[in-house]
C-alpha cells in the first residue's frame, strides 16, 4: 500500500495562487505522502508539455510516484458529432497520461441532472457508454495504461451501476477508481459498497463526509444527496463514514495499491490534507484482518 494525495485536495490553494502544482507536489512529499495523483483543476495540462515535464521532474526529485491522472468526460451526447468529439478529447487526455508516465487514468463517463438518473435512463444510455469506454481502453492499452470509471456525478455513482459498466466493457485494462465517500451521494452505505467494488479497483480514493438527514437542514456549506440528505466534506477519519471499518475491508481484501486522499472539507486544505493522511496511516496500521 502506498499513501498519497490527489492535487484536487489542494486545489483551493492552487487556484488562489498560494502554491503551484509543483509546489503542491513538494508539499505532499514533505508531509509524508508516497505518491501524487494529478487532477488538473486549478491548472491546465492540455497543450502544456512544459508543465507536464515539470510535474514529472518534480515528482521524481521529491521521491513520489505519479500514481494516476484523473479527468472529466461525458459520453451522454445527443448528437453523434458531439459524442465522437468527446471520445477524441479523451484520447488526447490519454496522451497526456502517457507523457506523465502514469499507468492509471480515470475518466468520467456520464452525467445527467438528478431527475434524469433513473435506472431506465441508465440502461438506455449504457450501450453508448460501453462503446466509448471500450474505445478509450483499447487506445490506452498501447501505452499499458489502465483506464477506469469513478463512482462520481450521481448518474454513475452507485456500486451496482459501476459494476454493470465494468462488466459490459469487458476489457482487462478497464476498472474502477473506487471513491469510498462518493457512495453517500447516492445514499449507499460505503462499507457495503466498498465490499462490492474493491475486487475491480485500480485506485482507491479516501474521502469523508458529514451526513445529516433530509429533515435537518444544517445551513450553508452543505449539498444534497439524490434522496435529499445533507452532506459536507470532512477530514478523513473525522466525518460520519465508518472509516475504521472501510479501511479494515480494504486491507482484508488484499488491496495493495495506491490510496489517494481527497480532501473536500471547509478547513484550510493543507491542514485538512495533512491530518487526513496521518489518520489514514494510523487507521491502516490499526486495522486487524
Amino acid at each position: 500500500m502506498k499513501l498519497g494525495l490527489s492535487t484536487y485536495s489542494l486545489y483551493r490553494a492552487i487556484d488562489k495562487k498560494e502554491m503551484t502544482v509543483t509546489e503542491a507536489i513538494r508539499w505532499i512529499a514533505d508531509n509524508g505522502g508516497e505518491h501524487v495523483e494529478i487532477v488538473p483543476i486549478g491548472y491546465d495540462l492540455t497543450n502544456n508539455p512544459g508543465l507536464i515535464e515539470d510535474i514529472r521532474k518534480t515528482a521524481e526529485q521529491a521521491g513520489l510516484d505519479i500514481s494516476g491522472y484523473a479527468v472529466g468526460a461525458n459520453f451522454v451526447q445527443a448528437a453523434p458529432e458531439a459524442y465522437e468529439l468527446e471520445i477524441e478529447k479523451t484520447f488526447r487526455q490519454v496522451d497526456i497520461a502517457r507523457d506523465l508516465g502514469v499507468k492509471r487514468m480515470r475518466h468520467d463517463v456520464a452525467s445527467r441532472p438528478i431527475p434524469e438518473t433513473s435506472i431506465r435512463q441508465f440502461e438506455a444510455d449504457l450501450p453508448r457508454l460501453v462503446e466509448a469506454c471500450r474505445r478509450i481502453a483499447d487506445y490506452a492499452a498501447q501505452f499499458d495504461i489502465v483506464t477506469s470509471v469513478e463512482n462520481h456525478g450521481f448518474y454513475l455513482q452507485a456500486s451496482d451501476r459501476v459494476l454493470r459498466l465494468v462488466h459490459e466493457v469487458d476489457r482487462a485494462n478497464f476498472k474502477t477508481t473506487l471513491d469510498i465517500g462518493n457512495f453517500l451521494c447516492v445514499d449507499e452505505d460505503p462499507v457495503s459498497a466498498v465490499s462490492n467494488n474493491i475486487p475491480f479497483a485500480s485506485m482507491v480514493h479516501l474521502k469523508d463526509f458529514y451526513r445529516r438527514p433530509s429533515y435537518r437542514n444544517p445551513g450553508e456549506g452543505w449539498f444534497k444527496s439524490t434522496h435529499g440528505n445533507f452532506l459536507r466534506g470532512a477530514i478523513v477519519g473525522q466525518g460520519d463514514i465508518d472509516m475504521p471499518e472501510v479501511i479494515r475491508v480494504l486491507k482484508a481484501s488484499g488491496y495493495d495499491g495506491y490510496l489517494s486522499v481527497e480532501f473536500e472539507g471547509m478547513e484550510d486544505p493543507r491542514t485538512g490534507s495533512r491530518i487526513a493522511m496521518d489518520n489514514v496511516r494510523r487507521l491502516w496500521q490499526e486495522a486487524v484482518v
Side-chain angles (χ1 to χ4, degrees):
M1 182 276 289
K2 284 194 172 183
L3 175 63
L5 193 73
S6 165
T7 62
Y8 168 70
S9 300
L10 298 169
Y11 86 89
R12 280 186 288 152
I14 296 171
D15 195 52
K16 291 177 182 178
K17 312 301 182 187
E18 295 173 359
M19 60 170 54
T20 65
V21 63
T22 52
E23 289 170 340
I25 291 169
R26 287 190 285 269
W27 184 93
I28 294 167
D30 290 343
N31 285 272
E34 299 173 279
H35 71 87
V36 57
E37 184 182 8
I38 301 299
V39 183
I41 298 176
Y43 57 99
D44 181 30
L45 298 184
T46 305
N47 301 315
N48 197 347
L51 183 55
I52 294 170
E53 185 60 22
D54 286 347
I55 288 171
R56 286 188 60 154
K57 287 181 178 178
T58 302
E60 182 178 359
Q61 291 166 359
L64 296 185
D65 295 349
I66 303 178
S67 55
Y69 180 54
V71 297
N74 184 11
F75 305 115
V76 176
Q77 303 289 340
E81 297 83 0
Y83 176 77
E84 289 297 328
L85 180 60
E86 195 73 0
I87 293 173
E88 287 295 327
K89 285 167 56 178
T90 310
F91 285 163
R92 302 291 73 80
Q93 295 299 319
V94 173
D95 293 341
I96 292 174
R98 174 203 62 202
D99 294 344
L100 284 168
V102 303
K103 296 302 179 183
R104 294 165 184 79
M105 173 182 154
R106 182 221 81 181
H107 61 80
D108 287 331
V109 173
S111 178
R112 283 188 178 277
I114 289 177
E116 300 175 17
T117 58
S118 70
I119 190 64
R120 182 189 294 267
Q121 184 62 63
F122 174 72
E123 290 293 340
D125 288 335
L126 186 60
R128 301 192 81 201
L129 305 184
V130 169
E131 178 192 348
C133 291
R134 282 178 176 168
R135 288 170 60 184
I136 294 159
D138 290 344
Y139 181 81
Q142 66 184 310
F143 309 121
D144 195 28
I145 291 173
V146 174
T147 57
S148 63
V149 57
E150 185 173 346
N151 50 307
H152 184 238
F154 295 110
Y155 192 35
L156 232 167
Q157 204 148 356
S159 63
D160 56 350
R161 294 194 187 189
V162 170
L163 290 179
R164 181 94 165 87
L165 179 67
V166 170
H167 291 323
E168 287 297 316
V169 172
D170 193 26
R171 293 293 190 268
N173 70 320
F174 183 73
K175 296 178 182 283
T176 181
T177 290
L178 194 166
D179 187 306
I180 68 101
N182 279 348
F183 294 112
L184 275 187
C185 300
V186 288
D187 302 287
E188 186 173 10
D189 173 57
V191 175
S192 300
V194 168
S195 297
N196 287 344
N197 284 20
I198 188 60
F200 306 95
S202 60
M203 169 80 81
V204 172
H205 286 173
L206 290 172
K207 179 189 297 176
D208 209 345
F209 285 116
Y210 300 109
R211 183 181 183 275
R212 299 293 180 269
S214 60
Y215 52 84
R216 286 178 53 197
N217 186 341
E220 184 179 353
W222 299 68
F223 69 96
K224 288 186 177 183
S225 71
T226 53
H227 290 86
N229 295 303
F230 292 94
L231 299 171
R232 178 162 74 82
I235 295 172
V236 177
Q238 296 187 359
D240 292 324
I241 293 175
D242 188 352
M243 200 61 63
E245 180 61 10
V246 165
I247 289 178
R248 189 199 66 79
V249 169
L250 290 172
K251 191 172 180 179
S253 75
Y255 180 79
D256 194 32
Y258 294 109
L259 298 180
S260 187
V261 168
E262 284 195 339
F263 170 70
E264 292 185 351
M266 296 179 73
E267 297 87 350
D268 177 85
R270 285 151 290 208
T271 300
S273 296
R274 177 185 56 78
I275 296 172
M277 286 195 291
D278 289 346
N279 281 344
V280 171
R281 190 176 295 106
R282 173 178 52 82
L283 290 170
W284 187 273
Q285 291 169 350
E286 292 174 354
V288 178
V289 299

